[in-house]
Amino acid sequence: MCGISGFVSLGLEEAAALEILEPMRTSLSHRGPDDAARHWSSGVALASNRLSLVDLAGGKQPIFNEDRSVRCLFNGEIFNHKDLRSDLAAKGHGFRSESDGEVIPHLWEEERADGFPRLSGQFALAIHDQRQRTLVLARDRYGICPLFWTTVRHENAYVLLFASEIKALLASGLLRPEPDLEGIKASLTMMAAPAPRTCFRGIRSLSPGCYLEIPLTDEALREVPAERAYWFLDFPRKGEESIDLNPESVARMEALMQRAVRIRMQSDVPAAAFLSGGVDSSLVAAYAQEVSGGTTPTFSSGVAGAAWDESDAARFTASHISSVLTIDRYRPEDVARSYPALIGAAECPVTDLASAALLNVTKRVAGAGYKFALCGQGSDELFAGYPWFKIQNLLSLPGSQGRAPSRAVGYALHTSLSRGPSDRRAAVRDAEAFGHLRAFGLLFTIFALAGRGLWSGDFKAATDAWHPLDDLRGVPDDYALWHPLNQSLYWGLRTFLPSHLLAGKGDRVGMHNSVETRYPFLDDDVVDFTRALTPRAKFRRLQDKVVLRQVAERRLPRKIAWRRKKMFRAPSTGLFSGESPRWLMDLLSDVSLRKTNYFESDRVRALVKSKRRSGGTIFTRSATDIALAGVVATQLWHHTFIDGTLADLPSQSPTLRVGAG
């Protein structure tokens, strides 16, 4: 992958433009330490930081067509670039390199936005078409590669900025970072703000499977461009699924996964693989070993504590596939050391402490000399691998598939987790709103209920009229006719996967350490195959990943192929047991909590005391962990990016340039 950044400003001279562009580029040097480039032409500034993986000598950016009228910045990988190259060459296009990204400007010449569905891979890109006087931004189908943008007014003109990370937009010096209260509410109820929302006011995340096309005129830059979708996620109607569970479908799934791993091993540098010991990462690592001839090392996180640690399973799998395994030991005290760096990398409140453990693992991968690693993320969203799918199934029996389980959970739990009538009414609203999300509605309902009682009155009042689903109302026309399992899978792939997993546990933790992550389960052919499967081939009774586990039996021991799903988590004891770090106490002080005004300081203080006592049931302890994680992550994010006076920690709040605003 790479880091891309740039902007459109029709009134600037080149020297002034490069003065803005250079800080943007250098802020993303961690994403591409191998090469850097800048380009300015016709009011468009482009910059890249390259992590060289394919065509190490020839893949420099920007990438041009033959007459240099179309130029492209590209972050990611196009896995079908050889097929596209052959097709385009047959139509008369000439190529200067073997870079996968070079197909993009030529494909744009031939098909414009109609060509985006033909790009199979993970990517975020910017195309400047000088003849058509347009700038185009696009993002891959599943949201693997990030792309952010905003518009600002600078020296009586409008500027559109874009970048792989928000810190590059801030580094431009053209905008003052301010919190988006609705984005923060989304992160406190859905674990992350789904695109296009972010936690920064005015800064948007381009939605997966979408693009922007911006005419390069003063009039167009005054308007906020609207996203256009080039790809839609859908499922067959209930009863019309075309692939059932049988030996032929198992063999086909196996072939698709083997191919998905093989094409993601294409590189001019060696690959590594993440290995947790679960069926997903184990299968990917096994196929990677086959492709590489037994030279793919594996990396895992050993989280301290019997309830968390999966090291034994990882060792067993590594031994079976003859892979050299490196285990990064992650202790409770490591949470306090790595959490600030995690928030700085993710640029949003990350409440899942396991993301900090993954940040450390990618550092070990980079330290061992590897630039990319394969992982098993995406499988749980395709094959109903999470425990809330089991809860949905239990709550929907017998004969009650039409009922929304999250609604029932919300009604049952709001009295124990909310404080006062207004909280109870809001909890019921969440349960109703999240109800049609099915299994993921369960997750979001419980997550929202756990922390709502800590929100300040001002924060509640400012966000009460808005619900996180307001940005995500559109669903396919025949959504109501899908099987309930596929309705659940849709929301996982649309929200939880791109906004939480692929960000806080994917691109951002990897690229912070200059490591690209690749996802065989998010191969287009694999996803299309799983969408066509009958529900019973994915989830039967209370068994998840049915067809995948039968595939895994062909390559892995049965105890791994049928190993029960174990959520990768990390303990919060490193923050609240013994002597908590000074920065944490600063963030949770009355002064800091009043400054941000997101949370009620008295309630936060009481919850911290409760956490230190370690009393209560497993449920109440889990609710306390969720609630406190939301407070700590949000306060830490605010300090890092908005107001660096909350704690004795580094801050990335930028200096605003004169004349910007």
Side-chain angles (χ1 to χ4, degrees), residues 260-324:
V261 170
R262 184 172 65 253
I263 63 176
R264 279 160 182 77
M265 298 282 283
Q266 297 177 41
S267 176
D268 294 328
V269 298
F274 295 124
L275 180 62
S276 69
V279 62
D280 310 327
S281 62
S282 295
L283 189 60
V284 168
Y287 289 151
Q289 275 289 76
E290 292 176 358
V291 172
S292 68
T295 62
T296 302
T298 47
F299 293 81
S300 185
S301 178
V303 180
W308 320 90
D309 195 14
E310 297 184 87
S311 299
D312 288 345
R315 289 191 192 94
F316 179 81
T317 300
S319 176
H320 178 79
I321 66 175
S322 300
S323 173
V324 177

Side-chain angles (χ1 to χ4, degrees), residues 59-290:
K60 296 181 180 297
Q61 298 197 32
I63 308 166
F64 297 91
N65 65 338
E66 292 91 341
D67 65 5
R68 299 175 71 88
S69 63
V70 178
R71 57 212 55 157
C72 173
L73 290 181
F74 168 59
N75 168 32
E77 310 293 336
I78 304 300
F79 296 119
N80 65 334
H81 71 98
K82 293 181 180 178
D83 293 337
L84 291 173
R85 180 184 294 263
S86 297
D87 181 41
L88 291 164
K91 295 177 180 179
H93 290 271
F95 293 85
R96 300 183 178 90
S97 74
E98 296 300 318
S99 167
D100 55 326
E102 195 177 354
V103 301
I104 296 171
H106 300 286
L107 185 63
W108 172 259
E109 280 190 287
E110 286 290 329
E111 303 182 26
R112 295 178 66 83
D114 290 340
F116 291 150
R118 297 185 63 192
L119 296 174
S120 180
Q122 50 190 72
F123 59 84
L125 58 86
I127 298 171
H128 175 205
D129 188 329
Q130 194 165 15
R131 279 192 298 230
Q132 298 294 326
R133 288 185 53 78
T134 58
L135 176 74
V136 181
L137 306 177
R139 192 178 180 197
D140 66 68
R141 299 181 181 193
Y142 313 110
I144 298 172
C145 294
L147 191 58
F148 301 94
W149 64 276
T150 189
T151 56
V152 299
R153 189 172 174 82
H154 174 60
E155 296 183 353
N156 299 317
Y158 288 88
V159 181
L160 184 143
L161 302 115
F162 65 90
S164 297
E165 297 183 14
I166 292 172
K167 56 178 63 70
L169 304 181
L170 302 180
S172 72
L174 301 185
L175 67 156
R176 177 180 287 108
E178 298 180 24
D180 184 312
L181 297 184
E182 293 170 351
I184 293 170
K185 180 178 180 178
S187 73
L188 292 172
T189 53
M190 298 179 70
M191 300 184 73
R197 184 76 56 174
T198 73
C199 291
F200 294 84
R201 180 181 297 174
I203 296 178
R204 304 187 182 207
S205 171
L206 185 60
S207 298
C210 290
Y211 70 98
L212 299 177
E213 187 167 355
I214 305 108
L216 299 182
T217 65
D218 289 327
E219 294 76 14
L221 291 175
R222 289 191 184 97
E223 305 293 329
V224 177
E227 290 184 346
R228 305 179 193 178
Y230 68 82
W231 180 80
F232 296 91
L233 174 65
D234 63 5
F235 288 87
R237 294 182 177 187
K238 183 179 179 181
E240 296 181 4
E241 301 90 358
S242 59
I243 305 175
D244 203 359
L245 182 65
N246 52 51
E248 290 75 21
S249 62
V250 173
R252 186 177 170 193
M253 179 72 201
E254 179 182 43
L256 288 173
M257 280 301 302
Q258 288 173 323
R259 178 183 177 276
V261 170
R262 184 172 65 253
I263 63 176
R264 279 160 182 77
M265 298 282 283
Q266 297 177 41
S267 176
D268 294 328
V269 298
F274 295 124
L275 180 62
S276 69
V279 62
D280 310 327
S281 62
S282 295
L283 189 60
V284 168
Y287 289 151
Q289 275 289 76
E290 292 176 358

Side-chain angles (χ1 to χ4, degrees), residues 578-622:
E579 186 174 345
S580 297
R582 175 60 184 272
W583 63 261
L584 178 66
M585 293 298 95
D586 288 343
L587 292 176
L588 300 185
S589 69
D590 288 346
V591 173
S592 292
L593 289 167
R594 290 194 185 102
K595 274 188 178 181
T596 61
N597 202 21
Y598 304 131
F599 307 101
E600 292 286 354
S601 59
D602 291 345
R603 293 178 180 176
V604 171
R605 187 165 52 250
L607 201 62
V608 171
K609 290 180 180 178
S610 171
K611 173 67 177 177
R612 291 186 184 282
R613 289 195 298 267
S614 300
T617 65
I618 293 176
F619 175 76
T620 57
R621 289 199 301 271
S622 297

Side-chain angles (χ1 to χ4, degrees), residues 522-550:
L522 297 181
D523 178 84
D524 292 342
D525 292 337
V526 171
V527 173
D528 289 344
F529 178 81
T530 61
R531 288 190 294 129
L533 283 169
T534 58
R536 79 182 195 101
K538 293 180 274 194
F539 189 92
R540 185 168 53 189
R541 300 185 182 93
L542 293 180
Q543 179 60 66
D544 58 21
K545 307 179 184 179
V546 179
V547 66
L548 181 66
R549 294 182 186 279
Q550 292 190 19

Side-chain angles (χ1 to χ4, degrees), residues 302-304 329-337 571 574:
V303 180
R329 305 304 306 179
Y330 195 73
R331 300 160 297 177
E333 56 268 30
D334 293 328
V335 176
R337 283 195 285 267

